[in-house]
């Protein structure tokens, strides 16, 4: 932003955002200067909150002409600082929160068209009203926004069955850095007409343009769920059980989440109302869910049969089946509150890694030994989306340890774990993206040719580098 005209630029931007379309008081701006995990504290003079794609377009055009850097933000629930301005005070924040209408809903076409600022829960609820399922699901669904879900290609707990956000999008509307609007909201399942440009914006974390709307895929609403917390013989048993369930349930496994004993203990310790549904203590559990088109009783019977088979094969040691909606919710609450429960035990050193599903047990064992030698006494809470080959390999300090030295080791530990995941042919960011947090790591672990192509795409779409500078690449 040219300093001589800074005040004029900001004034003009406020006018383009329209009445009620911006925040410029310190107290209102402050939440946008911090990321959800409070890893970064940035600074911005202005938060724009336009209420239409047209206003976003005019704002971007003006920012393009004046070289003003823009940081788009949705619900600000990301894990990698991707929506936080830097410390320069030069970047304006563009919130999509006021673009919050469901534009269209077609139960026969199984599609829903949403503005970027709709919350994920709002989209789920709109679909549910017409007996359809929008399957993207995660702990932050009450506040994360669909535009942010697209921009980060969010994952969540139903990826195994329905895929990542990318797999749930049929078309988007986006505003390019120069203010032009590009749109394909036809809602077609087949449209094989050249480059699939929408996928450039999905997962780009706002570095190529601003997603303003999307046509999303809906699914039939399952008639019944079979949910269970299952204690496993050991970590290897998790992969065997997953395969057994997939094979014999007509592939109706929707969720398969790994939960170590410590995670279960922390949730019972810190989260009101969470209890351990099993009478005995085990090392490893999975929370699994089948979702089916059959009657409740049939689904329950199928799950019992399959777990019985697991028992016979000695991969399952024990299981609690949810026999009511309330019990199902309680199991989900336990799973969804693991990150919160872990935060009560001091800061965590996090990793969001993926490998081929079959290699996950070996990776978790080796990584656990590795970090225990690097940070003696640390507690490993390695949990999450095992069905997708993705775990959150997170470290807490030793019980009661509040020494800030723990977190100072994050860089060293991250690097060692990332080296290991690389040896396993895995990824250093399975679902949380890159943002600012993993920018340097990305440059290490992605091949030169991939980085080269990413740079060319960035330069072609955002030649003056005003879109979310300093993120991803
Ligand atoms: C989850 O799966 C989230 O619960 C959060 O992706 C993971 O806190 C984390 O590391
Ligand atoms: Zn996750």
């Amino acid at each position: 932003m040219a300093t001589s005209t800074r005040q004029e630029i900001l004034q003009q931007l406020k006018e383009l955002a329209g009445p009620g379309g911006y925040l410029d008081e310190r107290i209102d701006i402050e939440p946008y200067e911090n990321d959800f995990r409070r890893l970064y504290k940035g600074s911005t003079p202005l938060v724009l909150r336009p209420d239409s794609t047209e206003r976003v377009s005019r704002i971007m055009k003006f920012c393009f002409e004046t070289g003003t850097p823009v940081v788009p933000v949705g619900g600000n629930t990301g894990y990698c600082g991707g929506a936080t301005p830097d410390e320069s005070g030069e970047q304006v924040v563009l919130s999509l929160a006021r673009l919050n209408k469901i534009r269209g809903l077609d139960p026969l076409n199984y599609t829903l068209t949403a503005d970027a600022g709709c919350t994920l829960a709002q989209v789920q609820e709109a679909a549910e009203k017409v007996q359809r399922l929008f399957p993207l699901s995660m702990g932050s669904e009450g506040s994360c926004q669909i535009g942010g879900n697209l921009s980060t290609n969010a994952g969540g707990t139903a990826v195994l069955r329905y895929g990542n956000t990318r797999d749930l999008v049929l078309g988007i509307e986006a505003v390019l850095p120069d203010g032009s609007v590009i749109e394909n909201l036809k809602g077609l399942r087949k449209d094989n007409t050249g480059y699939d440009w929408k996928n450039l914006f999905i997962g780009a974390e706002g570095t190529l343009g601003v997603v303003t709307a999307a046509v999303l895929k809906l699914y039939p609403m399952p008639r019944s769920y079979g949910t269970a917390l299952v204690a496993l013989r050991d970590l290897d048993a998790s992969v065997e059980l997953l395969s057994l369930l997939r094979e014999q349930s007509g592939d109706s496994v929707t969720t398969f989440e790994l939960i170590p004993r410590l995670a279960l203990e922390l949730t019972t310790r810190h989260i009101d109302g969470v209890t351990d549904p099993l009478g005995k203590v085990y090392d490893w559990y999975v929370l699994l869910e089948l979702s089916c088109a059959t009657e409740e009783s049939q689904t329950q019977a199928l799950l019992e049969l399959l777990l019985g088979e697991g028992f016979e094969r000695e991969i399952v040691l024990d299981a609690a089946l949810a026999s009511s909606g309330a019990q199902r919710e309680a199991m989900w609450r336990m799973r969804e509150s693991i990150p919160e429960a872990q935060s009560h035990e001091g800061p965590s050193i996090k990793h969001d890694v993926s490998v081929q599903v079959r290699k996950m047990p070996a990776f978790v064992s080796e990584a656990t030994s590795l970090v225990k030698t690097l940070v003696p006494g640390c507690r490993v809470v390695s949990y999450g989306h095992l069905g997708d080959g993705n775990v959150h390999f997170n470290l807490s300090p030793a019980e009661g340890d509040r020494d800030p030295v723990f977190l100072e080791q994050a860089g060293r530990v991250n690097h060692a774990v990332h080296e290991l995941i690389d040896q396993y042919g895995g990824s250093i960011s399975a679902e949380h993206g890159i943002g600012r947090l993993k920018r340097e790591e990305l440059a290490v672990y992605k091949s030169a040719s991939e980085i080269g192509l990413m740079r060319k795409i960035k330069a072609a779409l955002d030649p003056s580098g005003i879109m979310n500078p300093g993120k991803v690449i």
Side-chain angles (χ1 to χ4, degrees):
M1 218 185 289
T3 9
S4 55
T5 57
R6 184 183 151 96
Q7 283 317 319
E8 289 158 31
I9 288 173
L10 295 178
Q11 188 50 42
Q12 185 68 32
L13 282 170
K14 290 178 193 175
E15 278 160 33
L16 290 171
Y22 61 88
L23 305 170
D24 61 352
E25 299 286 340
R26 290 292 341 137
I27 186 159
D28 300 323
I29 287 180
E30 214 260 327
Y32 296 88
E33 294 180 329
N34 294 287
D35 69 305
F36 167 70
R37 284 175 64 195
R38 301 218 156 234
L39 295 175
Y40 302 106
K41 169 86 183 93
S43 162
T44 184
L46 183 62
V47 177
L48 297 160
R49 288 164 47 87
D51 61 359
S52 68
T53 301
E54 204 190 327
R55 283 199 195 274
V56 175
S57 161
R58 280 194 245 136
I59 287 169
M60 284 314 307
K61 183 168 186 289
F62 182 74
C63 288
F64 184 72
E65 286 162 2
T66 54
T68 308
V70 179
V71 180
V73 62
N76 199 14
T77 57
Y79 271 70
C80 300
T84 309
D86 68 10
E87 296 80 5
S88 68
E90 299 287 305
Q91 305 183 336
V92 296
V93 170
L94 178 62
S95 160
L96 282 301
R98 287 175 75 225
L99 270 78
N100 58 4
K101 307 269 176 314
I102 303 290
R103 290 195 196 177
L105 178 54
D106 186 341
L108 290 181
N109 198 44
Y110 285 78
T111 50
L112 183 154
T113 308
D115 279 348
C118 291
T119 64
L120 174 53
Q122 190 185 345
V123 171
Q124 293 166 338
E125 281 157 23
E128 210 174 318
K129 281 199 184 120
V130 293
Q131 284 77 53
R132 295 290 178 261
L133 173 75
F134 182 58
L136 190 66
S137 177
M138 61 197 72
S140 57
E141 60 202 23
S143 43
C144 65
Q145 295 170 11
I146 208 72
N149 296 145
L150 262 76
S151 296
T152 57
N153 184 29
T157 50
V159 174
L160 174 60
R161 181 79 169 274
Y162 297 101
N164 291 293
T165 300
R166 192 186 293 287
D167 303 297
L168 301 171
V169 179
L170 292 176
I172 69 167
E173 175 193 85
V175 177
L176 300 183
D178 67 2
S180 52
V181 179
I182 181 161
E183 179 231 279
N184 182 340
L185 297 175
K186 291 178 181 168
L188 302 178
R189 272 166 171 85
K190 298 183 96 166
D191 182 8
N192 202 6
T193 51
Y195 302 144
D196 187 2
W197 59 264
K198 71 172 181 301
N199 271 315
L200 289 175
F201 298 92
I202 301 172
E205 303 185 45
T207 61
L208 299 178
V210 185
V211 175
T212 48
V215 189
L216 306 168
K217 275 190 210 170
L218 302 181
Y219 288 82
M221 190 55 103
R223 277 174 76 197
S224 58
Y225 297 97
T227 312
L229 183 71
V230 178
L232 300 167
R233 181 196 65 215
D234 54 20
L235 210 41
D236 284 326
S238 62
V239 178
E240 292 173 49
L241 179 62
L242 173 64
S243 185
L244 166 83
L245 289 169
R246 291 193 63 183
E247 245 168 61
Q248 298 194 21
S249 71
D251 215 4
S252 62
V253 188
T254 304
T255 295
F256 197 85
E257 298 281 311
L258 182 69
I259 299 176
R261 177 69 204 170
L262 182 55
L264 180 58
E265 254 170 48
L266 296 184
T267 56
T268 56
R269 187 181 306 168
H270 296 294
I271 311 295
D272 277 353
V274 174
T275 52
D276 178 354
L278 294 168
K280 280 170 69 182
V281 170
Y282 301 95
D283 289 343
W284 292 102
Y285 306 81
V286 285
L287 172 67
L288 61 89
E289 188 158 277
L290 311 181
S291 55
C292 302
T294 47
E295 294 285 341
E296 184 82 45
S297 56
Q298 273 173 278
T299 307
Q300 292 288 336
L302 174 66
L303 185 54
E304 272 170 39
L305 185 81
L306 297 181
L307 292 177
E309 170 85 27
F311 211 73
E312 263 166 42
R313 291 197 200 176
E314 297 182 346
I315 50 185
V316 169
L317 299 181
D318 202 351
L321 273 68
S323 58
S324 67
Q327 283 181 3
R328 175 177 177 240
E329 264 168 43
M331 285 183 188
W332 271 107
R333 198 163 125 71
M334 181 272 288
R335 161 60 187 94
E336 300 284 23
S337 54
I338 296 173
E340 189 198 327
Q342 197 182 7
S343 73
H344 290 287
E345 297 283 314
S348 8
I349 300 179
K350 287 181 186 284
H351 307 89
D352 165 35
V353 289
S354 64
V355 281
Q356 289 184 10
V357 176
R358 62 179 303 132
K359 296 183 186 167
M360 189 54 91
F363 168 76
V364 170
S365 308
E366 199 173 335
T368 302
S369 314
L370 174 71
V371 299
K372 294 225 175 216
T373 54
L374 290 173
V375 189
C378 74
R379 292 174 293 163
V380 175
V381 184
S382 176
Y383 68 96
H385 325 294
L386 186 113
D388 315 325
N390 168 204
V391 293
H392 301 302
F393 187 82
N394 295 347
L395 278 59
S396 284
E399 185 111 39
D401 176 4
R402 290 289 185 268
D403 192 337
V405 165
F406 175 74
L407 211 49
E408 285 164 19
Q409 304 173 84
R412 187 170 67 100
V413 176
N414 287 162
H415 195 67
V417 172
H418 291 164
E419 279 291 298
L420 185 65
I421 201 76
D422 192 47
Q423 285 163 26
Y424 271 80
S427 167
I428 60 155
S429 186
E431 70 168 355
H432 295 162
I434 299 300
R436 186 163 159 187
L437 183 65
K438 293 187 185 162
R439 212 169 72 121
E440 275 86 37
E441 292 288 272
L442 183 79
V444 177
Y445 295 106
K446 229 163 164 73
S447 64
S449 54
E450 286 174 290
I451 294 280
L453 182 59
M454 282 169 72
R455 284 197 198 291
K456 279 186 196 159
I457 294 169
K458 171 77 174 167
L461 271 79
D462 182 24
S464 48
I466 58 166
M467 279 314 314
N468 211 3
K471 311 291 166 44
V472 184
I473 190 146

